[in-house]
Structure formats: C-alpha cells, structure tokens
Amino acid sequence: MSNVQLVLEVLLIVPFLCPPVKSTCNFINFKNYISSNQIPLSEDYEKIYTSIQNLHHFHQDQYIPDLAKEALNQLLHTFSSLQSYQEDFFHQMIQLIDTYASQNEKTSIYFNLCVKYNQSVIYQLIDKLHQQNIPLDDLLSSYQQKISSYPISTEIYDKYLYILYHYQRESLSSVIDTNKNNLVFIKEAINLYMNHQDYQKAIDLCLQQLQEHPHQDIYLLLLDIYKQTNQNEQIIALATDLLYHQYPGQIQYYQLLQQSYLPEIWEHKKKDIIHDLEKNQINISEIYIQEKLYDALFQYLAKNDDIFGMKKHEDILFE
C-alpha cells in the first residue's frame, strides 16, 4: 500500500477508533500530507475528496474548509495547467468550501486563490464570485497593489482586466487611461479586446496609444488586428508608413507589403519602393539581399565605408 493510500485509509478509519484529540492529530497529519510535495495519481484525487467529505459524518465539519484549501493550494502550486480530472477535483474542493465554510472564510479563501494563481479555473472562480454577489472591489484592489509592485506581471493584468471587462465595464476606460504609460498593461488591454473580437475598441486604443506613446509593439498589434479583420488597404498604408518613416528600411515591413500586394502588382511596386528608399538614403541592405541585388548592396556599403558590412556579407559579395 502506498503512502498516499495509507494516509487516506487512516483518515477514513480513525474517527471510529479514537477520541477527538487523536482525530485532531490525524487532521494535522493529513493536512501536512496535502501540503507536501507528494503528487497524487489521478485515482487518488477522488479518494482525497471522499476522505475530506467523510469528516462530515463524524461531526468534524470544522476541518473541511481548511483541508480543502490546502488541497487547492497544493494542486495549483504544483500544476501550471490542469488536466480534466484535476479541474473536477478543483470544483469538488470549491463545493466543500461553499458548503462548510462561513461567508467570511469562504471569501478569504477564494480571494487568496484568485490573487496567487492564474490557471483557467481561477477565471471560473471569479465568475462564481460574481454569481454569488460577492463584491469584487477588494480583489481588484489586491490586483492593483500587485501591479504597483510588479509592473510586468501580465497574469495579474489579465485577471484585473477580465473583471473590469466582464463586471465593471463602466470603469474600464478610466483604468486604461490611468495606466496609459504602462506599455505592458496597454498591450494586455488591446489583447483583451481582440480576444473578445471587439476589434474597433482595440483599434481605437492602438491609435490613441500611438498618438501619445508610439511603440513598435503597438504598431505590430494594430497590424495584427488589420490582418484578423481583412483590412488589406489599412495594412498597406500602415506598413508603408513604418517602412518609410517610423522604422525606415526594416525588412519585416517590406515583406509585409510583398504579402499584401498581388504578385503582378508587386513586381512593379517593389521597384518604386526601393527607388524611394534609396533616394531618402535609407539603409536597405536586407532588402538588397532578399532581392539578390548584390551590386546595389556593394555600392551602398562602399559609399558608406561600411567595412563591417562588407565583412558580414563577403560570402555573397565576393563569390
């Protein structure tokens, strides 16, 4: 018999044999087991649930919420993503807490889980809190404190924005405006809109952010939105601006234009683009290489006395 099974069987039998104080000791032992680094097998989860639930039959309801909490903490701490049977176990523990914990104890346990962990079941727990009419303001405050302490914690941003988007939509715009200098937060807000196919709000937020705090990541998100919504003219306009002005000569925007034009049009268009960029004395070495314009590459490097560039590309320049 494994250690897991032994502990579980003892928990099932001891209340018949021992006075309350020994049952208390057994509770402590089992709690320590749940909090240990031992990982139960899939068949053990149902035994753990049954063992905790059976405390009710021995009039030891007071132990159930604490054991369920320990089981949840161990589960979520150990596994960054859950299998279906582990999700079932999660909901079984939540059901036990719902049944046997006081309102204050229940809220405290749930809020703690929502702050500490980020698995998909946490979003289901947030939904459950709302359905039970438990105010989410304190949870939002906890997230805000975390954001202040850990400004790159995207998981906190995701949960924070999830609550605002689904349950306090009237506050979302002002919160986004308050955090407009926080690039990571703004990116997560744009992704939130995109994930809910609220594309116009995502576009508006990108454009507003680019007007005040232009950043390449926001341009890339805006391009992604245009791709998802099949706005090819907008892609061409933005990629052209990026290639000519914002990030002159960067190959990725040249390639994006190539993908956006019909092949027969592109063959003529690329000559105009290369001519314009050359006229503006923009470094387009990577474009020369893609188009196998090695003479033009050599002339550009020689004109600019770019010895490092010559050395870097000597394999194609001096074949």
Side-chain angles (χ1 to χ4, degrees):
M1 181 179 289
S2 69
N3 290 338
V4 173
Q5 291 170 319
L6 181 60
V7 173
L8 293 170
E9 293 302 326
V10 168
L11 186 69
L12 288 166
I13 296 170
V14 159
F16 286 116
L17 306 177
C18 310
V21 65
K22 291 190 177 179
S23 295
T24 302
C25 292
N26 182 67
F27 157 73
I28 294 171
N29 289 336
F30 187 58
K31 180 178 175 181
N32 289 339
Y33 159 70
I34 290 177
S35 301
S36 74
N37 290 323
Q38 299 181 65
I39 299 175
L41 302 174
S42 59
E43 59 266 23
D44 291 324
Y45 284 102
E46 188 61 35
K47 294 179 182 178
I48 293 173
Y49 168 63
T50 302
S51 298
I52 297 175
Q53 186 184 44
N54 278 355
L55 288 172
H56 170 69
H57 301 303
F58 310 123
H59 309 292
Q60 297 182 27
D61 295 5
Q62 71 274 20
Y63 296 141
I64 293 177
D66 202 18
L67 281 172
K69 179 184 73 173
E70 291 296 331
L72 286 172
N73 274 295
Q74 181 62 7
L75 174 72
L76 297 172
H77 176 75
T78 306
F79 300 97
S80 58
S81 62
L82 304 183
Q83 301 295 322
S84 59
Y85 64 86
Q86 292 171 321
E87 290 190 0
D88 291 341
F89 179 74
F90 174 90
H91 292 298
Q92 287 174 328
M93 293 300 101
I94 293 297
Q95 182 183 28
L96 290 176
I97 293 169
D98 267 352
T99 303
Y100 296 104
S102 67
Q103 184 63 42
N104 288 340
E105 186 180 16
K106 180 169 62 173
T107 302
S108 175
I109 292 171
Y110 292 166
F111 277 20
N112 183 262
L113 292 172
C114 288
V115 171
K116 287 177 65 176
Y117 303 109
N118 307 302
Q119 292 89 335
S120 60
V121 290
I122 294 301
Y123 291 86
Q124 296 172 28
L125 183 55
I126 290 172
D127 293 338
K128 181 182 182 65
L129 290 170
H130 176 74
Q131 291 163 8
Q132 293 184 345
N133 295 317
I134 296 175
L136 299 174
D137 292 340
D138 288 343
L139 183 56
L140 285 171
S141 296
S142 296
Y143 288 154
Q144 186 63 58
Q145 290 174 7
K146 287 283 187 181
I147 289 170
S148 301
S149 303
Y150 305 97
I152 59 170
S153 178
T154 57
E155 294 87 359
I156 294 292
Y157 294 151
D158 290 342
K159 291 182 290 189
Y160 186 41
L161 287 164
Y162 180 87
I163 293 175
L164 290 171
Y165 185 86
H166 288 281
Y167 303 123
Q168 296 193 15
R169 188 79 63 90
E170 69 280 357
S171 303
L172 182 56
S173 295
S174 62
V175 171
I176 290 173
D177 189 61
T178 300
N179 290 276
K180 63 185 179 183
N181 295 327
N182 185 333
L183 176 63
V184 178
F185 185 93
I186 294 299
K187 286 167 59 178
E188 292 305 308
I190 294 168
N191 281 318
L192 173 77
Y193 286 134
M194 291 174 64
N195 291 338
H196 289 86
Q197 299 183 348
D198 201 343
Y199 294 117
Q200 191 55 53
K201 279 192 168 57
I203 291 171
D204 292 343
L205 182 53
C206 284
L207 294 175
Q208 177 185 340
Q209 190 69 14
L210 289 170
Q211 197 169 35
E212 299 181 21
H213 306 283
H215 192 282
Q216 190 166 22
D217 286 356
I218 306 298
Y219 282 117
L220 292 174
L221 281 170
L222 184 55
L223 283 170
D224 194 26
I225 299 167
Y226 288 151
K227 288 178 187 176
Q228 290 188 34
T229 53
N230 298 313
Q231 298 188 56
N232 199 56
E233 291 185 5
Q234 296 290 354
I235 293 172
I236 290 173
L238 180 55
T240 300
D241 179 56
L242 293 170
L243 179 65
Y244 278 67
H245 304 112
Q246 306 302 329
Y247 304 97
Q250 283 200 8
I251 188 69
Q252 61 180 318
Y253 303 119
Y254 180 83
Q255 292 170 340
L256 181 57
L257 286 171
Q258 181 180 5
Q259 296 163 14
S260 302
Y261 282 103
L262 294 172
E264 58 271 22
I265 296 177
W266 175 247
E267 286 304 311
H268 299 284
K269 188 67 180 177
K270 71 179 181 181
K271 296 176 183 177
D272 294 336
I273 292 173
I274 291 171
H275 175 73
D276 291 341
L277 295 173
E278 287 175 333
K279 188 170 66 175
N280 291 324
Q281 299 183 337
I282 293 170
N283 182 353
I284 56 172
S285 298
E286 295 300 320
I287 295 175
Y288 287 145
I289 292 169
Q290 175 174 313
E291 300 297 342
K292 296 182 170 55
L293 299 172
Y294 301 137
D295 289 343
L297 174 62
F298 179 84
Q299 292 171 17
Y300 174 81
L301 296 173
K303 179 181 178 181
N304 290 277
D305 297 322
D306 190 346
I307 298 174
F308 176 78
M310 290 281 193
K311 181 68 177 174
K312 180 180 177 182
H313 301 299
E314 63 181 353
D315 57 327
I316 59 174
L317 291 175
F318 307 110
E319 288 182 330

